Amino acid sequence: VNDQYRSGSSGINAEYGGFLVEGPVVENETQLESEGWSRELVQEHLRIWKKSLPTKDGGLTLYKIFGEFDQISAVEFYNAQVNDQYRSEWDGSVSSLYVVDNITNNREIVYWATKFPFPLKDRDYVFERTHAMTKNQISISSRSITHRAQPVFSSYVRVYKYGSNLVMWSRGGDLYEKGMSYCLTYYDDFGMPIPSQLKDKLANAKIPEFLEKVRDAAEFLGNTGKLYVPYPEHPSRKR
């Protein structure tokens, strides 16, 4: 591993506390409620759950989103998430987004700068992104880290506590087939105290809006054939 990449082997960033997100990816209400999750929002194709996670410096809020899209495949949805160049076009909140360091063919370090509404200062992130693919599902796992190639910039507030886990699968069994479901679990500490009610209001408004944009981007990539080959490559697609 590149010695510029620094993170604890346990999944905890030793310096700043970024950690990998785990937990159920199937929406079982009994299990979720027994583990401290509460449902925040229900829409036709989307449900948002949240859970408070105590920490020594004040706590974090985890969000878990379950949803479905009929118009796109899991592979198309995946591509919309990892095509950083195209995301800079369709996601108006992106100031900068690029791979800093490729660790392996399915693991990289990413820099992401995002716009915040005035008078808040814009934020930026440095995170490890890992991809995995099986016959039945694709996952993308991210967590904040530090990297010497990406120093802190005075024009942004660096976010040191960020993590997400996105799991996607086909409802018909073929990842290239239209009709997919997903579970997104994440936390995002903006680097400033924000009242929980305001944070929930922002999440309930912004998450559905963002996921609709991802769906539209995925549909465009699928219709135009501008898809990456998922990696690790699906065994049935190898030549």
Side-chain angles (χ1 to χ4, degrees), residues 143-179:
R143 52 141 176 201
S144 55
I145 64 161
T146 61
H147 196 284
R148 292 174 190 165
Q150 290 300 137
V152 175
F153 302 110
S154 60
S155 53
Y156 294 99
V157 173
R158 178 64 51 87
V159 176
Y160 291 112
K161 293 182 180 178
Y162 163 75
S164 69
N165 184 47
L166 174 62
V167 180
M168 303 149 272
W169 61 94
S170 168
R171 298 205 298 273
D174 185 341
L175 293 171
Y176 290 79
E177 183 180 288
K178 305 292 185 184

Side-chain angles (χ1 to χ4, degrees), residues 226-237:
K226 297 180 178 180
L227 296 175
Y228 294 153
V229 175
Y231 51 95
E233 191 175 355
H234 193 303
S236 67
R237 304 279 167 170

Side-chain angles (χ1 to χ4, degrees), residues 76 79-80 83 86 216-227:
E76 291 166 344
N79 272 263
N83 188 328
Y86 181 48
D216 292 344
E219 198 166 10
F220 171 82
L221 291 172
N223 290 339
T224 57
K226 297 180 178 180
L227 296 175

